[in-house]
Amino acid sequence: MKEETLNLKTLETQSFRQFDLKKKRRTGESIIQTLLFLAGILSIFVTIAIVYELGKEAMLFFNDPDVTLGKFFGTTKWQPGIGQYGIWALVSATLVTSFIAILISLPLGLASAIYLSEYASFKARSILKPILEILAGIPTVVYGYFALLFITPILKSIIGEQLQVYNMLSAGIVMGIMILPLISSMSEDALSAVPRSLREAAYAMGATKVETSLQVVLPAALSGIGAALIIGISRAVGETMIVAVAAGSGPNFSFNPLDAAETMTGHIARISGGDLSYNSIDYTSLFAIALMLFLLTLVLNLISQWIVNRFRERYE
Amino acid sequence: MYTNNHYPQDQDFRQALSGRYRTATIWQGLFLSALLIAIISLTALIYNVVDGAFGYVAFDYKKDPAEFTSTPLTELTQDELIIILKDNLSSGAYKKLENEKPMQKRSQAELYTLFLERLVQLDTKETWSMTNSLMNSEKIKAEVAEKYPTATLEFRSWLTPQFLVTPMSSKAEFAGVRTAVLGSLWLVGIAILFSLPIGTGAAIYLQEYAPKNWLTGIIQTNINNLAGVPSIVYGMLGLAIFVRVMEPLTSGALFGVTDSNGRTVLSAGLTMGVLVLPLIIINAQEAIKAVPDSLRQAAYGVGATRWQAVWYHVLPNALPGILTGSILALSRALGETAPLIVVGASTFISLDPQSPFSKFTALPIQIYQWTTRAQSEFHAIAAGAIVVLLVLLLTLNATAVLLRNRFQRRW
């Protein structure tokens, strides 16, 4: 009898293994987690590398005794090889092409966003949206071909001889078409985020659909549309191939859209396409331009994100 | 007492109402026409490309074909062509061609191209677009007869099977996109090998592991910002890092390759990889986010570790989404031109890329080169190359859509 109970006791202790509730060290898991962390942090290094490399070469450019900030921002001729450092010759073309692009893409993008979000039936949307997505997926060099060989001849037959073969107008228009889908889809997101109750309240007051869309929904979505506009500007400023193909090659301080001129991006593409010796003033000047581009688009993107984040909180 | 003075009377109200309806119709028309303009632009673009890829071409031979052979040109056989080439080319030039690819192994079409290019020296006088060729056929014929009495007028498709398999040439008539397509495939392959593992890893870290702190916030904001950096800036980064700093690696000097500098397909592929990395991370994050939490909880419930839950449950379910996102990122890489120009794509090479340390060209680079040439026959082959590029992109995107529809699960 006594023996039996003893046996039972040993059985009990055997079947229940002792648990150690301390956190177990699993080397495999830690290694994997570290690798994943490194993959995550890599993007930070990319940004640091961009800032460092662009900054380093740009410093070489600005440290050149011949280059002064006064010349850089104060003159309007750009030819680093012969001592002309006026960045405005390039910035002017960037401004003109981007302005035309926004002039085209903002109204068209916004109007199509309103149609898609407020008017289109489910079926119409499922046909129209993919078309805009195709437009967004076309490589920019193809848009360049389109600008040079389709839009420019058409403009030439309308405007006449004042229009140069390479001109900012046609590049800007095509850039507008390229940005249209982006503005449209971002604005549509903003419009769809406006709560239904606002629309229903407007209808209850006897407003027509257009009055609701333009006077109630649109103002409510304005911040999101602002974000779309800013992203659109950032895309236009950074766009390269359309202007490299169609806007002209050669810095030209001009605000006349019929003229040929070279944007900051177009200039980088043309100069770096040729054989360029490292450490020449031409080489370092490209990095100075690229740094300006990077900082400009960075600021625009940050503003846009800030607006989107603020806007998201409003209806949640 | 309630008076009705402040409100419009019934009749006024009805009049105003019809006006308001009219405005409504006009606005609706405006909204719709914006979309129509977008659709027309797309149609015009595609029409413009196709229009350029076909059409009449007037060409002449600098030397009379009768000098070389008495058989009609279309009936020349492979052996006859070899004999003609051997007899008429200088022995040095013939040897060089023989070294590139033995004559006996060349097809009749290839030999005929050589014959046209080297011996009779085909010379394009003028080209016309497809629409123009079809509409004004008689006028063009008369014009050619007058301007170039000896020239032949032919309706030509610039986009032929031959166009796809021929390497670069300095003459538009004999140029093809083989080198460029292969270069693009190399680029995209290297880019995806680099960015898919790292991008997916980063997405897993951010969604599954990262604590909610300032560092995570910075990483996330940073990724969103990187997605908006102009592609040419990535090109400058690639030029500074991959082409210059890492030259021993990217030129293959470490591996015993001696005949190249840093401007290789590897440098360009890595640049593209860095460029699409943020896109892949963002897409993969969305895919991982869509996997419901219950799956993870269930895995933890039966005692899985974190990585086991991710590897056996989250990843398999997120995989279609991750792949779809990667394919879309690839199609972005396929169409990017600016960074390649900066990193240093070769403007003229006719040899296929053999290794990661080869010089390279890519489809968009060729399109850019040919579009910016003044002669219209180069515009025609640019149009042909654009059709090839668009078909490639369409295939990629269709694959992505199919993949999404086939495997996507709604929870």
Side-chain angles (χ1 to χ4, degrees):
Chain A
M1 208 51 202
K2 202 182 177 191
E3 267 182 20
E4 251 187 341
T5 39
L6 262 176
N7 253 343
L8 263 175
K9 260 196 175 167
T10 46
L11 253 178
E12 264 174 16
T13 43
Q14 268 174 358
S15 61
F16 292 100
R17 193 150 45 98
Q18 289 271 307
F19 271 106
D20 180 6
L21 290 174
K22 266 193 296 181
K23 192 177 172 186
K24 227 179 206 166
R25 281 181 68 96
R26 295 177 198 271
T27 336
E29 291 269 322
S30 322
I31 293 175
I32 287 170
Q33 188 164 348
T34 317
L35 286 178
L36 292 176
F37 175 72
L38 288 178
I41 203 91
L42 182 79
S43 67
I44 301 254
F45 286 118
V46 171
T47 309
I48 294 176
I50 292 179
V51 174
Y52 173 74
E53 282 297 335
L54 297 188
K56 190 182 74 182
E57 301 287 345
M59 278 327 281
L60 284 177
F61 173 72
F62 285 113
N63 280 344
D64 190 293
D66 205 21
V67 183
T68 60
L69 279 181
K71 269 191 194 168
F72 191 68
F73 289 112
T75 58
T76 57
K77 283 218 159 53
W78 178 266
Q79 201 88 58
I82 56 164
Q84 294 175 328
Y85 308 107
I87 190 70
W88 283 105
L90 301 172
V91 174
S92 64
T94 297
L95 288 178
V96 172
T97 48
S98 306
F99 182 73
I100 297 171
I102 292 300
L103 215 59
I104 300 274
S105 60
L106 184 64
L108 289 182
L110 194 51
S112 32
I114 294 178
Y115 189 85
L116 286 174
S117 134
E118 308 294 313
Y119 287 90
S121 64
F122 182 76
K123 207 177 162 196
R125 262 176 62 93
S126 67
I127 299 170
L128 292 170
K129 277 214 80 164
I131 292 181
L132 285 181
E133 277 162 19
I134 293 177
L135 210 52
I138 288 177
T140 54
V141 68
V142 178
Y143 278 112
Y145 175 93
F146 182 60
L148 184 67
L149 299 174
F150 188 82
I151 298 291
T152 303
I154 288 181
L155 289 176
K156 194 136 204 157
S157 65
I158 300 171
I159 299 173
E161 282 309 307
Q162 299 127 284
L163 189 82
Q164 302 188 7
V165 180
Y166 299 101
N167 61 82
M168 294 187 268
L169 183 60
S170 110
I173 291 176
V174 173
M175 215 145 93
I177 297 173
M178 184 203 83
I179 299 171
L180 190 155
L182 177 81
I183 296 213
S184 164
S185 83
M186 278 187 74
S187 305
E188 200 202 328
D189 288 344
L191 291 169
S192 330
V194 174
R196 252 203 99 64
S197 54
L198 255 74
R199 293 185 183 84
E200 274 157 8
Y203 291 142
M205 300 295 288
T208 61
K209 196 153 197 172
V210 165
E211 286 160 355
T212 312
S213 306
L214 288 181
Q215 293 168 25
V216 176
V217 182
L218 191 66
L222 213 53
S223 51
I225 292 165
L229 170 67
I230 291 168
I231 286 287
I233 297 174
S234 151
R235 273 288 284 278
V237 168
E239 170 45 42
T240 311
M241 291 323 293
I242 299 176
V243 288
V245 171
S249 47
N252 176 13
F253 181 69
S254 162
F255 288 98
N256 181 356
L258 306 182
D259 283 350
E262 197 167 50
T263 64
M264 294 154 80
T265 51
H267 184 74
I268 298 179
R270 181 172 64 91
I271 299 295
S272 63
D275 261 332
L276 198 59
S277 57
Y278 302 140
N279 300 326
S280 66
I281 187 86
D282 276 322
Y283 180 80
T284 52
S285 71
L286 294 187
F287 283 85
I289 302 171
L291 184 67
M292 279 185 62
L293 261 179
F294 175 73
L295 293 178
L296 188 62
T297 50
L298 181 75
V299 169
L300 288 173
N301 291 341
L302 282 175
I303 295 176
S304 164
Q305 268 183 48
W306 177 76
I307 293 178
V308 168
N309 286 339
R310 251 189 66 122
F311 160 76
R312 197 177 286 149
E313 283 159 19
R314 258 178 58 185
Y315 292 115
E316 268 172 6
Chain B
M1 272 295 284
Y2 172 74
T3 54
N4 204 10
N5 290 344
H6 298 295
Y7 299 93
Q9 294 301 306
D10 193 45
Q11 207 188 346
D12 301 338
F13 182 78
R14 273 176 199 287
Q15 261 178 6
L17 194 63
S18 65
R20 283 165 63 196
Y21 278 143
R22 225 179 2 259
T23 330
T25 325
I26 294 171
W27 274 106
Q28 188 174 350
L30 285 178
F31 296 149
L32 187 59
S33 55
L35 267 169
L36 288 181
I37 290 177
I39 294 173
I40 291 170
S41 306
L42 180 63
T43 323
L45 191 148
I46 290 170
Y47 161 77
N48 178 228
V49 170
V50 175
D51 192 39
F54 304 90
Y56 272 129
V57 46
F59 60 88
D60 207 351
Y61 299 122
K62 283 196 177 145
K63 287 186 182 158
D64 188 4
E67 279 179 37
F68 302 102
T69 173
S70 49
T71 13
L73 291 182
T74 43
E75 286 168 28
L76 284 169
T77 63
Q78 198 179 353
D79 297 328
E80 278 174 310
L81 280 164
I82 294 177
I83 295 167
I84 297 172
L85 286 166
K86 194 160 193 174
D87 289 349
N88 293 291
L89 281 171
S90 71
S91 61
Y94 185 81
K95 256 191 196 139
K96 204 173 161 210
L97 287 171
E98 182 80 37
N99 277 341
E100 277 172 23
K101 192 177 177 186
M103 286 296 175
Q104 294 295 341
K105 284 190 183 162
R106 294 180 190 235
S107 69
Q108 198 267 346
E110 282 176 87
L111 291 166
Y112 187 63
T113 309
L114 272 179
F115 172 71
L116 290 180
E117 190 179 353
R118 295 294 183 93
L119 295 179
V120 293
Q121 295 176 23
L122 187 132
D123 180 31
T124 302
K125 297 290 186 193
E126 207 170 334
T127 64
W128 289 266
S129 71
M130 184 173 66
T131 322
N132 205 350
S133 303
L134 296 178
M135 308 273 283
N136 307 324
S137 160
E138 291 307 313
K139 217 174 109 191
I140 291 172
K141 278 175 188 157
E143 194 186 320
V144 169
E146 190 192 326
K147 262 164 77 181
Y148 320 106
T150 54
T152 322
L153 188 69
E154 194 183 81
F155 192 88
R156 176 170 173 165
S157 158
W158 294 91
L159 185 70
T160 55
Q162 194 67 26
F163 183 68
L164 294 176
V165 296
T166 322
M168 249 322 265
S169 162
S170 55
K171 302 215 75 184
E173 300 81 4
F174 308 113
V177 289
R178 179 198 170 95
T179 332
V181 169
L182 288 175
S184 278
L185 293 181
W186 267 96
L187 276 178
V188 165
I190 293 173
I192 203 70
L193 277 181
F194 171 77
S195 58
L196 185 59
I198 295 183
T200 314
I204 294 174
Y205 175 75
L206 286 170
Q207 288 307 123
E208 303 288 328
Y209 287 89
K212 266 205 169 223
N213 59 14
W214 59 272
L215 183 63
T216 310
I218 287 183
I219 295 179
Q220 192 67 63
T221 316
N222 181 51
I223 287 169
N224 293 341
N225 270 321
L226 278 181
V229 169
S231 57
I232 197 156
V233 172
Y234 283 103
M236 300 299 278
L237 178 73
L239 176 64
I241 303 258
F242 298 128
V243 176
R244 282 191 73 185
V245 178
M246 289 168 61
E247 179 155 9
L249 178 70
T250 52
S251 70
L254 285 178
F255 307 96
V257 181
T258 47
D259 58 338
S260 73
N261 56 13
R263 298 175 182 268
T264 56
V265 69
L266 180 61
S267 296
L270 289 175
T271 309
M272 281 300 188
V274 177
L275 187 146
V276 295
L277 188 63
L279 303 179
I280 291 193
I281 297 179
I282 292 171
N283 282 322
Q285 273 187 290
E286 291 298 323
I288 292 172
K289 224 184 266 177
V291 177
D293 228 16
S294 52
L295 250 75
R296 294 180 190 91
Q297 304 297 354
Y300 294 142
V302 294
T305 63
R306 207 169 213 181
W307 175 246
Q308 284 167 340
V310 168
W311 182 251
Y312 292 104
H313 302 281
V314 177
L315 266 189
N317 285 298
L319 204 60
I322 295 176
L323 288 182
T324 310
S326 308
I327 293 177
L328 294 179
L330 273 192
S331 64
R332 164 90 191 271
L334 197 59
E336 273 298 343
T337 323
L340 298 182
I341 298 178
V342 178
V343 170
S346 304
T347 45
F348 187 90
I349 63 172
S350 55
L351 291 176
D352 295 346
Q354 300 290 339
S355 75
F357 312 116
S358 301
K359 286 189 199 166
F360 71 101
T361 184
L363 210 40
I365 293 283
Q366 282 312 319
I367 296 170
Y368 172 59
Q369 293 288 341
W370 287 336
T371 307
T372 46
R373 297 285 283 265
Q375 303 94 322
S376 61
E377 62 264 31
F378 281 101
H379 297 164
I381 53 174
I386 291 177
V387 174
V388 176
L389 180 63
L390 290 183
V391 168
L392 276 177
L393 287 176
L394 203 67
T395 320
L396 271 180
N397 285 318
T399 318
V401 170
L402 279 180
L403 208 70
R404 187 167 60 195
N405 292 347
R406 172 77 180 74
F407 291 106
Q408 196 177 47
R409 278 208 249 168
R410 298 231 169 265
W411 303 92

